[in-house]
Amino acid sequence: MKKYFYEFLKGIIKENPTFVLVLGLCPTLAVSVSVINGIGMGIAATFVLLGSNVIISLIKNIIPARIRIPCFIVVIATFVTITEMTMKAYSPALNRALGIYVPLIVVNCIVLGRAEAYAQRQTVLKSLFDGLGMGVGFTLALILISGIREALGSGKFLGYTLTPRYEPAFVLGLPSGALLVIGLLLGFFNVLKNRKE
Amino acid sequence: MKNRLIVSVSPHLHKDASVSKIMWMVVVSLIPAGVAGMFIFGVGALWVILLGVVSALITEWIVQLFAKRRVSVLDGSAFLTGLLLAYNLPPRVPFWLPIVGSVFAIAIGKQVFGGLGQNIFNPALAGRVFLMASWPKYMTTFTKPQNFDAITSATPLAALKEGKVLEGISNWNLFLGIRGGCIGEVCIFALLLGALFLFVRGYISWHIPVTYTVVVGLFTYIFGPRGLFSGDWLFHILSGGLILGAFFMATDYVTSPLTRCGQIIFGIGCGLLTAIIRLWGGYPEGVSYAILMMNAATPIIDRYTKSRIYGTR
């Protein structure tokens, strides 16, 4: 049980997809304008990761090595389609806010990266916990980035105004603001890591 | 007794110039423009300048302390950054604006890259562009010159962009700085006085400022409002932040090319970008963006204009 727990935990801090593996930055840059978008994107990606990791580790022995990437993409695309249709049905507002970035989870490097680097050579159960951990790590990173951007860029958190006297810095709502925040956070986490070693 | 014999390899030329001394000399050369700004816009301008400078110094000190770098607050570079940032602000901004700008300029524009000499972009301009993108409302509200009751007025360039007729602003007024604008950019006379001092002392060369100014003048003359060769080139040179940018910010040692040839390319690029932004861009003024873009191109320019080492091919 302990080793499964480790597989889950490593995705959150030690191998955090955003801040350590530096994968999946395109959706991170695009949707981290507000916390609610970040959470929505995180949950959608977690579901896809979970599904694709489990299925790919199940069928890993029958996938021919030379065409494995197209096979992975077919599996991933299936789960992305399920996610998108579910989101359209139950939460159309979120779907509109995330826009093109929901179908683009197909090419999210975290999902393909975990399939290629992990699920295709590990057991089903381990892959499940790995997918879950990576998804939660991605979601937490998105919440952190979008929290900073929403608080400083529009003076709100989850849509609630924090303090009416604050004059928001528009630049943090722009793509350049996302690059700034991600860069500074990456630097900050690297400093922490270096201190520890 | 202090050992005054310096043993070193050739060349044995000695010049009484250090980074710190040059920085303080540039600060000195900027004083007339600041004094002129104060005369034109009132004492409020002094507060903006003081806030910008002091917060730049404090930020430098704190960041260097935390990063465990050698604390070099008094080498003049942070002072200069704060001063230039304040010169690039309108005279009546809320008190926190110069502070935020200076903190961004020093912490993100300079120290994140490794401190003085390592930064890619001119820190003061990085701070200004950050403020411009964040709080455009304050950054584009200018006061009328010599009218201390905070009546807003457009800068001549902004008025031109909106298609208004420019009235009551002669080139002489522009030269003396009787117009709306940022604190340090308005008085061309004072700026040129400071620049002359730097030229005479040999701290800046003519390559960047002259090519920059000439290209802007030429370009705005050729692509005038009434067909080719009808532009008001003198107006474009005297208005906006061109002189401040060309003589004091594009010539920043760290972020401009090393060779003469590279500096000329840099000046031409800055001039073209500034003129293009002014004539066809969304903003009335393009000096800061032009210099920042050419800052980004500086490493490439340096690579292709590398001087040949004697004896090699």
Side-chain angles (χ1 to χ4, degrees), chain A residues 152 166-172 174 176 180 184 195, chain B residues 66 68 96 104 108 112 130 133-138:
Chain A
L152 296 178
Y166 175 70
E167 311 228 11
F170 293 136
V171 72
L172 286 168
L174 305 174
S176 42
L180 259 176
L184 288 177
R195 287 260 163 92
Chain B
F66 268 93
K68 298 202 176 71
W96 48 267
F104 186 89
I108 315 270
V112 156
F130 176 76
S134 294
W135 297 280
K137 189 175 79 187
Y138 296 118

Side-chain angles (χ1 to χ4, degrees), chain A residues 32-160:
Chain A
S32 62
V33 182
S34 65
V35 178
I36 194 74
N37 283 5
I39 295 175
M41 185 67 189
I43 291 172
T46 307
F47 173 73
V48 174
L49 256 168
L50 210 60
S52 72
N53 259 14
V54 167
I55 298 293
I56 285 166
S57 71
L58 269 176
I59 60 170
K60 60 178 179 280
N61 292 328
I62 56 168
I63 297 177
R66 293 176 70 179
I67 54 157
R68 64 183 192 285
I69 301 285
C71 297
F72 295 164
I73 294 290
V74 171
V75 174
I76 296 166
T78 311
F79 283 99
V80 172
T81 312
I82 295 171
T83 315
E84 198 196 354
M85 286 178 165
T86 316
M87 207 182 258
K88 266 190 182 143
Y90 292 100
S91 167
L94 185 64
N95 188 58
R96 262 196 306 279
L98 294 179
I100 186 70
Y101 295 100
V102 177
L104 278 181
I105 299 175
V106 176
V107 285
N108 186 323
C109 7
I110 303 173
V111 182
L112 191 63
R114 290 330 281 176
E116 171 79 7
Y118 197 89
Q120 68 161 341
R121 51 179 76 107
Q122 294 286 354
T123 62
V124 177
L125 213 54
K126 266 181 151 181
S127 302
L128 184 134
F129 279 99
D130 176 75
L132 197 65
M134 286 291 156
V136 172
F138 183 54
T139 313
L140 289 177
L142 273 173
I143 291 175
L144 181 63
I145 296 166
S146 58
I148 294 174
R149 284 185 69 192
E150 195 181 348
L152 296 178
S154 56
K156 291 175 179 170
F157 191 79
L158 280 168
Y160 296 103

